[in-house]
Amino acid sequence: MEYTIQKLGQLAGVSTRTLRYYDEIGMLKPARINSSGYRIYGQAEVDLLQQILFYRELGISLEDIKGIVTSPTFDGYAALKEHRKQLIERREQLDILIANVDKTISEKEGMIEMTNKEKFEGFKRKLIDDNEKKYGEEIRAKYGEEQVNRSYKQIKNMTEEQYKEAEKLGEEVLSTLAAAFATGDPAGELAQKTADLHRQWLTFFWGSYTKEAHAGVAQMYVDDERFTAYYDKEQPGSAEFLRDAVRIYTGVNGSPDDSASAGE
């Protein structure tokens, strides 16, 4: 069965403008152009559009989607199975959040009593799912399944007090880093205080600590542009400065003078 661009847009619930843009960037081209100059789409294009919309629903950027679906190794069947897995995980997260809201409403109405642990269960699950979605592949490759799963277990077992303390520490890391960055000295007192606060913050999520892992995370802040953008948002260069401060703090991975070869 074949579709004009208008009919395909109606079928999929997307605008013809969107389909034209997908054609322009080479992500979804029509099967052919008919004698009247209209784009004509076949079953293969319908299936590909379904994949694209699945990836969009999962929050993946168009640039990344294009790289995935135009790759010679792209496997539509395997992709569908992965979509299903991620959608089930999202449903589980939503079920937990809905149950959490329902319990909170019931508590407010005086029908039940809700523990602090229950109140934060849904939010902790969202924290884990968001982290896995953004950085799961990288952190599992770098630290291994066991370490990552142990970290997630640590988060799940956090009390309300621990959760608030972790948030407070995270804010203190950023504010102290900003003040330390202004000194320009990663070995200075403020920079080393930042590194120590960062260590304390990490232990909330790791449960255990090693200097090597601490230095590795700090290096990842420089190597991964998403982390770099987060730390450099207010002061460009902050990610590298934190990395250098942590290197000095831990004594791992050489001195700040090595930063040129160790960075991106």
Side-chain angles (χ1 to χ4, degrees), residues 160-214:
E160 179 188 3
E161 290 74 19
Q162 290 171 328
Y163 189 88
K164 288 181 177 179
E165 180 63 23
E167 284 192 321
K168 180 181 176 183
L169 262 176
E171 292 170 0
E172 194 172 354
V173 168
L174 293 178
S175 62
T176 309
L177 173 61
F181 184 79
T183 71
D185 182 9
E189 183 179 350
L190 272 177
Q192 291 306 292
K193 179 182 178 182
T194 303
D196 185 63
L197 289 169
H198 189 253
R199 173 193 62 79
Q200 295 177 49
W201 178 75
L202 285 174
T203 56
F204 271 99
F205 302 97
W206 287 358
S208 60
Y209 172 84
T210 67
K211 292 180 178 180
E212 291 75 17
H214 189 184

Side-chain angles (χ1 to χ4, degrees), residues 22 45 103 114 136 170 173 176 235 245:
Y22 289 173
E45 289 72 40
K103 284 183 179 180
M114 192 175 182
V173 168
T176 309
Q235 296 175 306

